[in-house]
Short mmCIF file of all heavy atoms in Angstrom, two decimals:
data_model
loop_
_atom_site.label_atom_id
_atom_site.label_comp_id
_atom_site.label_asym_id
_atom_site.label_seq_id
_atom_site.Cartn_x
_atom_site.Cartn_y
_atom_site.Cartn_z
N LYS H 187 -32.62 23.79 23.83
CA LYS H 187 -33.80 24.66 23.83
C LYS H 187 -34.39 24.78 25.24
O LYS H 187 -34.43 23.79 25.99
CB LYS H 187 -34.84 24.04 22.88
CG LYS H 187 -34.56 24.24 21.41
CD LYS H 187 -35.71 23.77 20.55
CE LYS H 187 -35.41 24.02 19.09
NZ LYS H 187 -36.57 23.61 18.25
N ASP H 188 -34.87 25.97 25.53
CA ASP H 188 -35.59 26.21 26.75
C ASP H 188 -37.05 25.77 26.52
O ASP H 188 -37.78 26.39 25.74
CB ASP H 188 -35.52 27.70 27.14
CG ASP H 188 -36.13 27.98 28.50
OD1 ASP H 188 -37.19 27.37 28.80
OD2 ASP H 188 -35.62 28.84 29.23
N GLU H 189 -37.42 24.66 27.15
CA GLU H 189 -38.70 24.03 26.82
C GLU H 189 -39.91 24.97 27.16
O GLU H 189 -40.93 24.99 26.44
CB GLU H 189 -38.84 22.72 27.58
CG GLU H 189 -37.89 21.65 27.06
CD GLU H 189 -38.08 20.30 27.74
OE1 GLU H 189 -39.03 20.24 28.61
OE2 GLU H 189 -37.34 19.39 27.45
N SER H 190 -39.80 25.71 28.23
CA SER H 190 -40.93 26.59 28.62
C SER H 190 -41.08 27.71 27.60
O SER H 190 -42.21 28.04 27.18
CB SER H 190 -40.71 27.15 30.01
OG SER H 190 -39.53 27.93 30.02
N LYS H 191 -39.96 28.32 27.21
CA LYS H 191 -40.00 29.40 26.21
C LYS H 191 -40.43 28.86 24.84
O LYS H 191 -41.15 29.52 24.08
CB LYS H 191 -38.68 30.11 26.11
CG LYS H 191 -38.34 30.94 27.35
CD LYS H 191 -37.02 31.68 27.18
CE LYS H 191 -36.76 32.57 28.40
NZ LYS H 191 -35.46 33.28 28.23
N GLU H 192 -39.97 27.61 24.52
CA GLU H 192 -40.35 27.01 23.28
C GLU H 192 -41.87 26.79 23.20
O GLU H 192 -42.54 27.02 22.22
CB GLU H 192 -39.61 25.66 23.14
CG GLU H 192 -40.16 24.69 22.13
CD GLU H 192 -39.87 25.08 20.71
OE1 GLU H 192 -39.03 26.04 20.48
OE2 GLU H 192 -40.41 24.46 19.78
N ALA H 193 -42.42 26.31 24.36
CA ALA H 193 -43.87 26.07 24.41
C ALA H 193 -44.64 27.37 24.29
O ALA H 193 -45.69 27.46 23.60
CB ALA H 193 -44.20 25.36 25.71
N THR H 194 -44.17 28.44 24.95
CA THR H 194 -44.83 29.76 24.88
C THR H 194 -44.78 30.28 23.46
O THR H 194 -45.82 30.81 22.95
CB THR H 194 -44.14 30.75 25.81
OG1 THR H 194 -44.15 30.23 27.16
CG2 THR H 194 -44.83 32.10 25.75
N LYS H 195 -43.66 30.14 22.80
CA LYS H 195 -43.53 30.59 21.39
C LYS H 195 -44.47 29.80 20.52
O LYS H 195 -45.14 30.38 19.63
CB LYS H 195 -42.07 30.40 20.96
CG LYS H 195 -41.83 30.83 19.54
CD LYS H 195 -41.87 32.33 19.40
CE LYS H 195 -41.45 32.79 17.98
NZ LYS H 195 -41.56 34.25 17.76
N GLN H 196 -44.54 28.48 20.72
CA GLN H 196 -45.39 27.65 19.88
C GLN H 196 -46.88 28.03 20.03
O GLN H 196 -47.62 28.06 19.03
CB GLN H 196 -45.17 26.19 20.25
CG GLN H 196 -45.73 25.17 19.25
CD GLN H 196 -44.98 25.17 17.96
OE1 GLN H 196 -43.78 25.40 17.91
NE2 GLN H 196 -45.70 24.92 16.90
N GLU H 197 -47.26 28.34 21.25
CA GLU H 197 -48.65 28.68 21.49
C GLU H 197 -49.03 30.05 20.87
O GLU H 197 -50.18 30.28 20.54
CB GLU H 197 -48.92 28.78 23.03
CG GLU H 197 -48.90 27.39 23.71
CD GLU H 197 -49.02 27.52 25.19
OE1 GLU H 197 -49.12 28.67 25.67
OE2 GLU H 197 -48.96 26.50 25.91
N SER H 198 -48.07 30.92 20.70
CA SER H 198 -48.34 32.25 20.18
C SER H 198 -48.31 32.34 18.66
O SER H 198 -48.57 33.39 18.10
CB SER H 198 -47.33 33.25 20.77
OG SER H 198 -46.05 32.98 20.26
N LEU H 199 -47.96 31.24 18.01
CA LEU H 199 -47.87 31.27 16.54
C LEU H 199 -49.25 31.54 15.94
O LEU H 199 -50.26 30.98 16.33
CB LEU H 199 -47.34 29.94 16.02
CG LEU H 199 -45.88 29.60 16.37
CD1 LEU H 199 -45.53 28.20 15.77
CD2 LEU H 199 -44.95 30.63 15.81
N GLY H 200 -49.26 32.41 14.95
CA GLY H 200 -50.49 32.71 14.25
C GLY H 200 -51.43 33.70 15.00
O GLY H 200 -52.52 33.91 14.59
N ILE H 201 -50.96 34.25 16.12
CA ILE H 201 -51.77 35.16 16.92
C ILE H 201 -51.21 36.58 16.86
O ILE H 201 -49.99 36.75 17.01
CB ILE H 201 -51.85 34.68 18.40
CG1 ILE H 201 -52.51 33.33 18.47
CG2 ILE H 201 -52.59 35.71 19.22
CD1 ILE H 201 -52.54 32.73 19.88
N TYR H 202 -52.07 37.53 16.59
CA TYR H 202 -51.66 38.92 16.68
C TYR H 202 -52.88 39.73 17.21
O TYR H 202 -54.01 39.21 17.31
CB TYR H 202 -51.15 39.49 15.36
CG TYR H 202 -52.15 39.42 14.20
CD1 TYR H 202 -52.91 40.51 13.85
CD2 TYR H 202 -52.32 38.26 13.47
CE1 TYR H 202 -53.81 40.47 12.79
CE2 TYR H 202 -53.21 38.18 12.40
CZ TYR H 202 -53.94 39.30 12.08
OH TYR H 202 -54.81 39.21 11.05
N PHE H 203 -52.64 41.00 17.56
CA PHE H 203 -53.67 41.80 18.20
C PHE H 203 -53.94 43.07 17.44
O PHE H 203 -53.01 43.79 17.04
CB PHE H 203 -53.25 42.16 19.64
CG PHE H 203 -53.14 40.96 20.54
CD1 PHE H 203 -51.98 40.22 20.61
CD2 PHE H 203 -54.24 40.58 21.33
CE1 PHE H 203 -51.84 39.13 21.43
CE2 PHE H 203 -54.12 39.47 22.12
CZ PHE H 203 -52.96 38.74 22.20
N LEU H 204 -55.22 43.38 17.19
CA LEU H 204 -55.62 44.63 16.63
C LEU H 204 -56.00 45.56 17.80
O LEU H 204 -56.49 45.14 18.81
CB LEU H 204 -56.84 44.44 15.72
CG LEU H 204 -56.64 43.56 14.47
CD1 LEU H 204 -57.90 43.58 13.61
CD2 LEU H 204 -55.42 44.00 13.67
N ARG H 205 -55.74 46.87 17.57
CA ARG H 205 -55.97 47.83 18.60
C ARG H 205 -56.70 49.07 18.02
O ARG H 205 -56.36 49.53 16.95
CB ARG H 205 -54.64 48.26 19.17
CG ARG H 205 -54.70 49.31 20.27
CD ARG H 205 -53.30 49.61 20.77
NE ARG H 205 -53.31 50.68 21.79
CZ ARG H 205 -52.25 51.11 22.40
NH1 ARG H 205 -51.01 50.61 22.14
NH2 ARG H 205 -52.33 52.06 23.35
N THR H 206 -57.68 49.54 18.77
CA THR H 206 -58.38 50.77 18.29
C THR H 206 -58.94 51.53 19.43
O THR H 206 -59.19 50.97 20.54
CB THR H 206 -59.57 50.37 17.36
OG1 THR H 206 -60.23 51.57 16.89
CG2 THR H 206 -60.54 49.44 17.99
N ASP H 207 -59.11 52.85 19.25
CA ASP H 207 -59.75 53.67 20.25
C ASP H 207 -61.24 53.85 20.00
O ASP H 207 -61.93 54.61 20.67
CB ASP H 207 -59.03 55.04 20.38
CG ASP H 207 -59.19 55.87 19.12
OD1 ASP H 207 -59.37 55.26 18.03
OD2 ASP H 207 -59.09 57.10 19.20
N LEU H 208 -61.73 53.22 18.93
CA LEU H 208 -63.13 53.29 18.60
C LEU H 208 -63.95 52.40 19.54
O LEU H 208 -63.47 51.34 19.98
CB LEU H 208 -63.37 52.82 17.17
CG LEU H 208 -62.90 53.74 16.06
CD1 LEU H 208 -62.85 52.96 14.72
CD2 LEU H 208 -63.72 54.97 15.91
N GLU H 209 -65.16 52.81 19.78
CA GLU H 209 -66.06 51.98 20.62
C GLU H 209 -66.89 51.07 19.68
O GLU H 209 -67.99 51.38 19.31
CB GLU H 209 -66.97 52.86 21.44
CG GLU H 209 -66.24 53.70 22.47
CD GLU H 209 -67.18 54.52 23.33
OE1 GLU H 209 -68.42 54.43 23.13
OE2 GLU H 209 -66.68 55.29 24.15
N ILE H 210 -66.25 50.00 19.29
CA ILE H 210 -66.85 49.03 18.35
C ILE H 210 -67.35 47.81 19.11
O ILE H 210 -66.58 47.18 19.83
CB ILE H 210 -65.88 48.63 17.23
CG1 ILE H 210 -65.42 49.88 16.49
CG2 ILE H 210 -66.52 47.67 16.27
CD1 ILE H 210 -64.36 49.62 15.45
N LYS H 211 -68.59 47.44 18.89
CA LYS H 211 -69.10 46.29 19.62
C LYS H 211 -69.00 45.00 18.80
O LYS H 211 -69.07 43.92 19.35
CB LYS H 211 -70.59 46.58 19.92
CG LYS H 211 -70.75 47.87 20.71
CD LYS H 211 -71.27 47.62 22.09
CE LYS H 211 -71.29 48.96 22.82
NZ LYS H 211 -72.58 49.24 23.41
N ASP H 212 -68.80 45.14 17.52
CA ASP H 212 -68.75 43.97 16.62
C ASP H 212 -67.30 43.69 16.21
O ASP H 212 -66.63 44.52 15.62
CB ASP H 212 -69.59 44.27 15.37
CG ASP H 212 -69.83 43.02 14.49
OD1 ASP H 212 -68.97 42.10 14.57
OD2 ASP H 212 -70.85 42.97 13.81
N GLU H 213 -66.82 42.47 16.59
CA GLU H 213 -65.46 42.10 16.31
C GLU H 213 -65.17 42.10 14.80
O GLU H 213 -64.10 42.50 14.35
CB GLU H 213 -65.14 40.73 16.89
CG GLU H 213 -65.05 40.66 18.37
CD GLU H 213 -66.43 40.40 19.01
OE1 GLU H 213 -67.44 40.57 18.30
OE2 GLU H 213 -66.51 40.02 20.20
N ALA H 214 -66.13 41.60 14.00
CA ALA H 214 -65.92 41.54 12.55
C ALA H 214 -65.76 42.91 11.94
O ALA H 214 -65.00 43.11 10.96
CB ALA H 214 -67.13 40.81 11.91
#
């Protein structure tokens, strides 16, 4: 295993990004 890539993958688990063109100030 590539330890650096393994660590990066582990840190990114459970994370995803929402994207919008709306000007929304409230994250919820």
